[in-house]
């Protein structure tokens, strides 16, 4: 007997209030940010995708099919784990939303299963992805294998060297990994190549963006696919905490998808929302408004508007832009975007491993590093309750850590 895991089941996330993080409309604007800045040849593809997503997202059968796939295949809901020793050491109650326990080891699978099911519904046969840390590439290769789609992943040569294990995993899953040798040979260059490739094969190909970036509808669509993280966490916190909700909600920021999904669950509560950037890739605090990869946001750039190279120890965070909705949330003061250094991040990986027995991804450790630095200060007073989204697990970073430690 064969059971279709994406046939309609119960939809846990449908029909909730949308509040601040709402549908950005047909222009895809978040305040002064977002929009669609693409070559003319890509406009019809973006419009077709927006129409396809709007129709699918309003269709209870699609929503419940996705929820069922997330549950039966990807292992949702992921738990919220209260830390024991670390909370006692820090003097704050620290809870972890465990996206490291989702299938393929990070939150990326939520978005990719959504996009792959949508691509299939729209009659596409090929998934095109870009990846930095490789987690999005692995998730894309996984979803393509599950749904019988061809998969091509663009990855900067420098990231290929940093994330050897994930390159092998993608190939094992049947994907073609295309090395990108231009520029800084990292995520930004992989995005350029992926967009160029999409232009050339737009009819049969779905461009599967890895974060809340790119032209409209990507930032909105990816946030909606990641909303499940925040919605689940909110319910889980309500069941775990006497006061019902955390005081502070923290997530790391590369393009910003795990943070957007997490924040979407808490934006209409009193919780402070904190997105933690890498000090060398802090597009919100060090960037200025500009256009990159088809959208307007805060971007690291020089005085002539040339894109600057970002730096981070983690391949998933050295990206010079940030999802446009985050730039807007910063503008209106609803979310804060501090940054942490590589050294703080490595220390955070070690501290979590040794106090709680959890090895987090370097990306996720940015969120944790902020908590470790600020616990007991006016930023994060003693006795606060903090939820950190642990976006992924650290296996992929083991080789890099061996060299660093
Ligand atoms: C585990 C993990 N966390 C976070 C990120 C950053 O992406 P985003 O900001 O879109 O969540 C990545 C990106 O590769 C990742 O692999």
């Amino acid at each position: 007997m064969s059971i279709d895991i994406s046939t309609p089941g119960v939809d846990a996330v449908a029909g909730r209030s949308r509040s601040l993080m709402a549908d950005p409309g047909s222009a895809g604007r978040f305040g002064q940010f977002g929009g669609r800045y693409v070559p003319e040849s890509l406009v019809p593809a973006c419009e077709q995708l927006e129409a396809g997503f709007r129709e699918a997202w309003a269709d209870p059968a699609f929503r419940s099919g996705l929820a069922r796939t997330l549950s039966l295949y990807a292992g949702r809901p992921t738990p919220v784990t209260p830390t024991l020793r670390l909370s006692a050491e820090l003097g704050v109650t620290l809870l972890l939303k465990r996206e490291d326990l989702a299938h393929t080891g990070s939150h990326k699978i939520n978005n990719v299963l959504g996009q792959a099911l949508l691509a299939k519904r729209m009659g596409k046969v090929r998934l095109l992805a870009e990846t930095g840390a490789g987690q999005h590439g692995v998730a894309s290769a996984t979803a393509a294998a599950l749904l019988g789609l061809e998969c091509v992943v663009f990855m900067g040569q420098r990231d290929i060297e940093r994330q050897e294990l994930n390159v092998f995993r993608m190939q094992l899953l049947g994907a073609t990994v295309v090395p990108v040798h231009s520029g800084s040979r990292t995520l930004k260059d992989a995005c350029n190549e992926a967009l160029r490739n999409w232009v050339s094969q737009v009819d049969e190909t779905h461009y599967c963006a890895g974060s809340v970036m790119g032209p409209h509808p990507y930032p909105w669509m990816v946030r909606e696919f990641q909303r499940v993280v925040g919605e689940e966490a909110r319910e889980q916190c309500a069941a775990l905490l006497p006061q019902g909700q955390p005081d502070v909600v923290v997530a790391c920021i590369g393009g910003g998808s795990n943070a957007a999904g997490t924040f979407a669950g808490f934006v209409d509560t009193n919780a402070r929302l904190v997105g933690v950037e890498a000090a060398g890739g802090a597009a919100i605090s060090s960037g200025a408004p500009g256009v990159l990869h088809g959208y307007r946001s805060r971007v690291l750039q020089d005085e002539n508007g040339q894109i600057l190279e970002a730096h981070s120890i983690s391949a998933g965070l050295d990206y010079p832009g940030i999802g446009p909705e985050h730039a807007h949330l910063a503008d209106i003061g609803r979310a804060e975007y501090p940054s942490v250094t590589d050294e703080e991040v490595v220390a955070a990986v070690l501290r979590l491993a040794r106090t709680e027995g959890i090895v987090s991804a370097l990306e996720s450790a940015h969120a944790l590093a902020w908590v470790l630095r600020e616990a007991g200060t006016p930023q994060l007073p003693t006795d606060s309750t903090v939820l950190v989204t642990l976006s992924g697990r650290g296996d992929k970073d083991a080789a890099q850590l061996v060299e660093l430690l």
Side-chain angles (χ1 to χ4, degrees):
M1 185 184 67
S2 96
I3 300 174
D4 178 359
I5 59 172
S6 70
T7 51
V10 177
D11 182 357
V13 296
R16 297 289 179 73
S17 95
R18 292 290 126 112
S19 64
L20 181 62
M21 296 178 82
D23 178 341
S26 58
R29 289 269 166 199
F30 303 96
Q32 59 162 311
F33 301 110
R36 184 182 286 155
Y37 299 83
V38 289
E40 253 174 71
S41 49
L42 278 184
V43 171
C46 290
E47 286 174 349
Q48 186 198 46
L49 180 62
E50 182 186 347
F53 175 63
R54 276 188 191 285
E55 191 205 44
W57 211 224
D59 178 356
F62 180 81
R63 297 283 288 257
S64 59
L66 173 59
R68 192 168 155 87
T69 309
L70 288 172
S71 151
L72 296 182
Y73 184 71
R76 304 211 70 85
T78 59
V80 164
T81 303
T83 63
L84 302 175
R85 296 177 55 208
L86 194 50
S87 288
E89 284 180 18
L90 296 174
V92 301
T93 301
L94 172 62
L95 308 173
L96 302 174
K97 176 63 172 161
R98 302 290 306 280
E99 292 304 291
D100 59 315
L101 294 180
H103 181 47
T104 69
S106 83
H107 68 297
K108 298 282 179 186
I109 194 73
N110 308 319
N111 164 44
V112 164
L113 285 173
Q115 288 197 50
L117 285 170
L118 180 62
K120 190 100 179 167
R121 178 180 165 112
M122 292 175 66
K124 308 285 177 179
V125 295
R126 183 170 178 262
L127 277 193
L128 177 63
E130 85 301 296
T131 196
Q135 288 302 96
H136 174 59
V138 169
S140 300
T142 300
L146 178 71
L147 299 179
L149 299 164
E150 186 193 336
C151 184
V152 178
V153 182
F154 286 86
M155 188 167 186
Q157 180 61 36
R158 184 165 137 67
D159 292 338
I160 286 183
E161 284 153 25
R162 285 196 281 188
Q163 300 291 338
E164 226 177 313
L165 175 65
N166 273 345
V167 175
F168 178 66
R169 286 169 81 196
M170 286 181 254
Q171 289 164 341
L172 199 63
L173 290 158
T176 305
V177 180
V178 182
V180 175
H181 298 281
S182 54
S184 53
R185 296 171 294 124
T186 59
L187 182 58
K188 124 176 121 48
D189 313 290
C191 288
N192 286 336
E193 284 310 314
L195 282 169
R196 240 174 250 143
N197 188 281
W198 192 29
V199 176
S200 70
Q201 303 192 44
V202 75
D203 287 341
E204 70 273 25
T205 301
H206 173 71
Y207 172 48
C208 185
S211 191
V212 283
M213 55 198 205
H216 177 57
Y218 284 103
W220 167 50
M221 181 177 71
V222 175
R223 180 250 282 163
E224 288 302 278
F225 286 144
Q226 292 293 2
R227 174 180 285 278
V228 65
V229 177
E231 302 253 5
E232 274 178 18
R234 182 166 176 170
E235 274 179 23
Q236 292 162 321
C237 285
L240 275 169
L241 299 171
Q243 74 279 29
Q245 298 301 334
D247 303 311
V248 190
V249 172
V250 192
C252 69
I253 300 258
S257 66
N258 87 93
T262 306
F263 291 178
F266 293 92
V267 72
D268 58 353
T269 71
N270 293 327
R272 268 173 68 197
L273 306 178
V274 179
V276 185
E277 297 190 290
I284 297 247
S285 49
S286 314
V291 169
L292 176 69
H293 298 141
Y295 64 101
R296 185 165 194 275
S297 187
R298 290 201 175 272
V299 180
L300 295 179
Q301 54 190 297
D302 67 16
E303 64 280 10
N304 300 315
Q306 294 297 317
I307 305 302
L308 292 175
E309 281 181 12
H311 163 78
S312 166
I313 190 173
S314 61
L317 302 193
D318 67 354
Y319 177 68
I322 173 122
E325 192 165 22
H326 287 296
H328 177 58
L329 291 172
D331 256 16
I332 62 172
R334 178 62 189 98
E336 307 153 50
Y337 296 89
S339 61
V340 294
T341 63
D342 289 353
E343 292 71 29
E344 289 174 300
V345 167
V346 174
V349 171
L350 284 181
R351 183 123 178 233
L352 184 69
R354 290 172 186 183
T355 52
E356 299 295 327
I358 299 171
V359 179
S360 97
L362 286 168
E363 287 81 4
S364 322
H366 283 68
L368 200 63
W370 180 82
V371 174
L372 298 185
R373 184 175 76 200
E374 303 298 351
T377 74
Q379 274 295 321
L380 195 55
T382 303
D383 294 333
S384 323
T385 299
V386 192
L387 174 78
V388 165
T389 293
L390 207 69
S391 56
R393 66 175 192 230
D395 314 31
K396 70 184 178 59
D397 301 318
Q400 208 184 337
L401 283 169
V402 166
E403 282 181 17
L404 287 166
L405 296 173

